[in-house]
Amino acid sequence: MEPIAHTVQRPNAAQLVQEGLALHQRGRVLEAEPFYRQALALQAEEPDALHLLGVVLSQKGNQGEAETLVRRALEGQPHNTAYHNSLGRILLLQGRVEDGLAALEEALRLAPQNPEAHFNVGEALLAQNHPGQAEPRYRRALELKPTHAMAAFGLGRALWAQGDQPGALPWFQLASLLEPGNVAVLNQAGVAYMVLGHREEARQAFERLLQMVPENPEALANLAVLANGAGQREAAMGYYERALAHQPDLPSALDGYIEVRRQLCAWEGLAALEQRIVTRARARLAAGQGGGIRAFTALYLPFTPEEQHQVARSESQALAQGVGEPLWGAAARRPGRLRVGYLSADARNHPMGHLLAEIFQVHHREQVEVFFYSTGVDDGSTIRQKILLDAEHFREARGMTSIGLATQIAADGIQILVDLMGHTADTRMAVLARRPAPVQMHYLGFPGSTGADFVDYLLTDPYITPPERPDLITEAPIYLPVYQVNGHRYLADAPTPQRADLGIAEDTFLYYCFNNNYKIAPEVFSVWMRILQRVPESRLVLLATSDAAVKNLRQEAEQRGVNPDRLMFAGYLDQPQNIARQRLMDLFLDTPGYNAGATATDALWAGVPLLTVEGQTYISRVAGSLLRNVGLEELVMPDLAHYEETAVALAEDRERLRGLRARLTGARTTALVFDTPRQVHNLETAYRRAWERFVREESASPLWIE
């Protein structure tokens, strides 16, 4: 009997492709590649092998060869939607956006229910900064494949880019559940938790991320933000330093690190850091990109006024991408009283809350219907309760999505929407980007132009915003006689403490500054120390924002030859007690680069003269505006040299100082800045004239309120 011959069956090209694909789908890309190459050795134009090898090469970064292979696959199967989808992604990775989108649209034409193609179009549009156009693509991908983690992540990013943080969070949560090991998804979910005030959930997300990727710079920077928000500034500084050790130019870490260093008055090497971030931002602006830093940070860095405006403008432009048609409609045309809406997160014990506390009670209800949209926390304070009760319509809006809040404002028929935050913490500028009201204004919160085309007017005054520099604001200015409204005249009086009870000699000259510590620049502190040296019987009282800041300021004084015991530190008090203790002081020394605002009004109401320097930016002119209104314009200095000389001269001429105080006492009853009814009347006049202009179909242009 002849032996039976056994032949070994060699796999064909299709089998090799399937074996490679099985590895590829498990993420073993390098192991899959040889199978595709073997398949092509057997059958040079096997379309699936060409396509999948192209995908592998794209994942390895070889986009040129990947494109060639996928195009060869398409020659064999020109109507294969998967091939067009892959080609689109490869072209996008090469920066060929128009060609890439065309390939993806062809994939969708051939298979309209292809979730990957919808997802990829969304990615391309988001990369082009068109989040509003990307949003429906991601939604369609999720309708077709509800477990598509990256489509959920993309949808969250698109909403986030449109300023809709509350709306983005559920999609980040879903993406994180679907892909728990994805670092980018987990980090963004943590950021969303943090921004929306869910601090513990945020901390857990970032700590899980650090377990997955130890010393991840973004997670460390975000933990720093959490620590800083909890008042743990030294811990925040440590996190930032670890993040920057691994990624020295991480923008968010640099931005936050400088802020914390300023809050702690940790000035060693700070000037070089500040110059580094300014140089980087200038390069980005010159290249037509965003500044890469927060507009608020730019206020206290050495930028020109023009550059500050550019940074704010780029931040606003990003929010306005793809938001669609204005939301306001027929409701805004309803007859009746003028409907004014205020948008703020600061209906609480906060400087803005102090300024706003009285205006809602004073508004003329027979002429104006007032709505307050509160997006901040309820701190249980008396100021919060007063605003809630005095506003005719108080809308609790914390946690509402941007589109939801904008829709509510439009449904209320708001005619004049007044934003009180701008580019500050808790900003809801994205609500204004959707145009829920036909006339939109910014007031008080952000000290400068918002740079937003969707904000029609900036409520200001001709000193803060000089008419000869219209290039520094995007909005049309409404020039009030003085910019600030406040409720100081209605504050309850608290007893003035005695110097003896505080261990202060009666003949001691008390300089002070209750501005936040981050406003103190080292060069200004040096001037203060020279003043103390020149006025031996004097002391300087500062705000004690933290133990570390107190320690650092004492060390800085000693380094400048001043006994640190000549510095005194005051904690936070309720507003009546805060005003009362200021009556003990002799002279408020302002921080010229970043002026006192509400804090300046506190001092002037307490009867204490304030010394400042006239700057070139909005924020460096607010104290000067207030001084001019109370009749003390001679305390607005042209430079730091005059500032120093005047501070010394006033300590040596007590009679002159008493005269200034007497003038301030008279200003309490005569100055417009302390006359809330007149100020509210001016605001209502501004609102009415802006609305009349809109009705006449005239564009926004400067308005003067006399």
Side-chain angles (χ1 to χ4, degrees):
M1 182 183 226
E2 296 206 6
I4 298 171
H6 292 277
T7 59
V8 177
Q9 187 122 22
R10 298 184 64 191
N12 60 32
Q15 290 172 325
L16 288 165
V17 168
Q18 289 305 310
E19 290 183 53
L21 183 59
L23 292 165
H24 201 158
Q25 289 173 333
R26 297 201 296 273
R28 296 159 65 179
V29 177
L30 296 179
E31 295 175 56
E33 182 178 350
F35 288 91
Y36 303 145
R37 293 193 180 276
Q38 290 173 42
L40 291 172
L42 292 175
Q43 188 177 335
E45 297 303 314
E46 209 291 325
D48 282 341
L50 288 167
H51 169 236
L52 290 168
L53 181 57
V55 172
V56 168
L57 293 177
S58 175
Q59 290 173 315
K60 292 170 68 176
N62 188 347
Q63 307 305 333
E65 191 176 347
E67 179 187 346
T68 300
L69 289 168
V70 175
R71 288 194 184 279
R72 281 171 59 191
L74 278 166
E75 289 173 8
Q77 292 188 18
H79 303 303
N80 189 308
T81 183
Y83 297 179
H84 284 287
N85 184 59
S86 295
L87 177 62
R89 292 192 65 176
I90 291 165
L91 292 169
L92 291 174
L93 289 169
Q94 295 178 67
R96 294 159 61 186
V97 176
E98 190 173 329
D99 292 341
L101 280 171
L104 293 171
E105 294 292 0
E106 179 63 11
L108 284 171
R109 187 186 71 80
L110 294 166
Q113 295 187 13
N114 182 340
E116 286 302 319
H118 284 288
F119 165 72
N120 286 326
V121 172
E123 290 287 280
L125 290 168
L126 189 58
Q128 287 183 287
N129 203 22
H130 298 305
Q133 296 174 41
E135 180 184 340
R137 301 294 191 151
Y138 291 126
R139 290 191 186 278
R140 184 60 179 148
L142 284 163
E143 288 167 356
L144 295 167
K145 185 181 177 182
T147 58
H148 198 312
M150 297 315 291
F153 184 50
L155 177 54
R157 285 157 49 224
L159 293 168
W160 191 272
Q162 296 173 75
D164 192 358
Q165 288 86 358
L169 176 58
W171 298 107
F172 294 144
Q173 291 172 316
L174 175 60
S176 186
L177 287 171
L178 293 169
E179 280 199 17
N182 189 308
V183 169
V185 170
L186 184 56
N187 183 65
Q188 188 58 61
V191 170
Y193 282 130
M194 178 171 63
V195 168
L196 294 170
H198 308 297
R199 300 179 57 82
E200 182 56 27
E201 291 84 350
R203 184 189 62 77
Q204 291 174 8
F206 298 136
E207 289 184 349
R208 282 202 309 274
L209 199 161
L210 286 176
Q211 290 172 0
M212 294 159 56
V213 186
E215 296 301 289
N216 177 275
E218 290 189 343
L220 289 167
N222 288 324
L223 283 168
V225 174
L226 282 174
N228 191 35
Q232 300 163 358
R233 296 198 170 98
E234 288 180 287
M237 194 159 75
Y239 282 126
Y240 279 131
E241 287 170 351
R242 286 167 61 188
L244 291 167
H246 291 276
Q247 192 173 338
D249 287 317
L250 181 62
S252 61
L254 265 178
D255 186 327
Y257 185 47
I258 288 170
E259 179 184 1
V260 170
R261 290 277 301 269
R262 290 187 69 116
Q263 287 169 333
L264 291 173
C265 301
W267 296 330
E268 186 177 354
L270 185 60
L273 268 177
E274 291 183 344
Q275 195 54 55
R276 182 167 139 203
I277 200 170
V278 167
T279 300
R280 180 182 177 279
R282 282 176 176 155
R284 289 177 58 89
L285 291 170
Q289 304 169 329
I293 60 170
R294 295 169 297 165
F296 188 81
T297 304
L299 296 176
Y300 55 75
L301 291 178
F303 285 106
T304 66
E306 293 82 0
E307 288 167 342
Q308 286 186 3
H309 184 218
Q310 276 184 283
V311 172
R313 187 159 179 75
S314 66
E315 196 164 318
S316 290
Q317 285 173 336
L319 294 173
Q321 294 288 341
V323 294
E325 293 299 310
L327 288 181
W328 72 268
R333 301 279 191 183
R334 289 198 307 258
R337 293 175 291 159
L338 185 65
R339 289 181 294 281
V340 177
Y342 292 92
L343 176 62
S344 178
D346 295 328
R348 56 193 173 104
N349 188 18
H350 180 276
M352 278 294 296
H354 298 160
L355 294 182
L356 297 171
E358 294 297 330
I359 72 170
F360 306 106
Q361 180 180 353
V362 175
H363 263 302
H364 298 92
R365 290 201 177 183
E366 68 280 4
Q367 300 170 14
V368 180
E369 187 175 3
V370 174
F371 295 72
F372 190 96
Y373 299 92
S374 174
T375 60
V377 296
D378 179 355
D379 63 353
S381 63
T382 54
I383 287 177
R384 163 87 178 187
Q385 192 67 11
K386 179 169 179 54
I387 293 173
L388 187 152
L389 294 175
D390 286 350
E392 188 172 350
H393 306 282
F394 187 95
R395 300 278 196 250
E396 176 52 64
R398 184 166 188 250
M400 287 184 72
T401 65
S402 295
I403 187 65
L405 179 49
T407 301
Q408 173 70 67
I409 292 168
D412 285 336
I414 297 301
Q415 295 162 318
I416 308 285
L417 179 61
V418 184
D419 168 59
L420 295 164
M421 293 179 293
H423 299 299
T424 59
D426 304 314
T427 177
R428 297 306 300 269
M429 286 283 287
V431 173
L432 278 79
R434 288 162 169 77
R435 279 279 181 183
V439 179
Q440 302 190 152
M441 302 180 179
H442 175 68
Y443 185 43
L444 287 179
F446 179 73
S449 172
T450 64
D453 293 326
F454 49 83
V455 178
D456 304 294
Y457 293 97
L458 174 68
L459 287 152
T460 182
D461 68 40
Y463 178 79
I464 289 177
T465 309
E468 63 270 19
R469 290 303 309 271
D471 56 308
L472 297 182
I473 61 173
T474 301
E475 311 88 342
I478 295 180
Y479 294 117
L480 301 168
V482 61
Y483 87 102
Q484 193 189 96
V485 65
N486 64 73
H488 282 75
R489 193 173 288 183
Y490 301 90
L491 275 175
D493 243 351
T496 303
Q498 300 299 308
R499 283 193 172 195
D501 296 337
L502 301 175
I504 305 169
E506 286 299 324
D507 61 349
T508 300
F509 192 91
L510 286 181
Y511 296 104
Y512 81 113
C513 179
F514 281 175
N515 289 352
N516 271 310
N517 291 164
Y518 71 82
K519 296 184 180 184
I520 304 173
E523 59 271 21
V524 173
F525 190 78
S526 295
V527 172
W528 291 350
M529 294 305 99
R530 290 201 298 271
I531 291 168
L532 291 185
Q533 288 170 330
R534 294 176 63 183
V535 184
E537 299 302 319
S538 66
R539 299 182 75 176
L540 174 64
V541 186
L542 300 173
L543 200 61
T545 55
S546 70
D547 291 343
V550 169
K551 178 183 175 184
N552 288 335
L553 287 167
R554 288 174 60 85
Q555 288 176 348
E556 293 288 342
E558 193 163 24
Q559 288 172 14
R560 289 164 173 80
V562 173
N563 183 342
D565 290 341
R566 293 181 67 186
L567 301 187
M568 298 177 65
F569 293 91
Y572 293 96
L573 291 176
D574 287 340
Q575 189 68 334
Q577 287 73 31
N578 174 44
I579 298 295
R581 68 179 171 182
Q582 291 188 55
R583 298 189 198 112
L584 297 179
M585 310 297 174
D586 292 301
L587 183 65
F588 188 112
L589 297 176
D590 191 24
T591 45
Y594 195 125
N595 285 184
T599 311
T601 318
D602 292 346
L604 298 174
W605 181 250
V608 185
L610 178 147
L611 195 63
T612 193
V613 174
E614 181 172 278
Q616 299 302 310
T617 60
Y618 182 121
I619 191 54
S620 62
R621 297 172 73 86
V622 295
S625 168
L626 298 168
L627 283 167
R628 288 160 63 91
N629 188 257
V630 298
L632 296 183
E633 57 271 15
E634 70 263 39
L635 297 183
V636 182
M637 299 292 109
D639 52 44
L640 278 174
H642 286 82
Y643 174 94
E644 179 179 337
E645 293 303 320
T646 304
V648 173
L650 287 170
E652 294 172 346
D653 189 347
R654 302 297 179 94
E655 189 61 35
R656 180 185 173 193
L657 190 68
R658 280 192 289 272
L660 293 172
R661 294 186 78 112
R663 285 157 64 187
L664 273 179
T665 300
R668 283 166 61 103
T669 57
T670 60
L672 177 59
V673 73
F674 296 128
D675 192 337
T676 309
R678 283 171 63 200
Q679 282 288 71
V680 171
H681 172 77
N682 286 336
L683 288 174
E684 291 178 347
T685 300
Y687 300 157
R688 187 168 55 253
R689 288 180 59 186
W691 179 248
E692 289 168 351
R693 176 179 282 171
F694 170 79
V695 170
R696 293 194 302 266
E697 299 185 352
E698 298 175 8
S699 58
S701 60
L703 281 173
W704 291 79
I705 308 299
E706 301 299 335

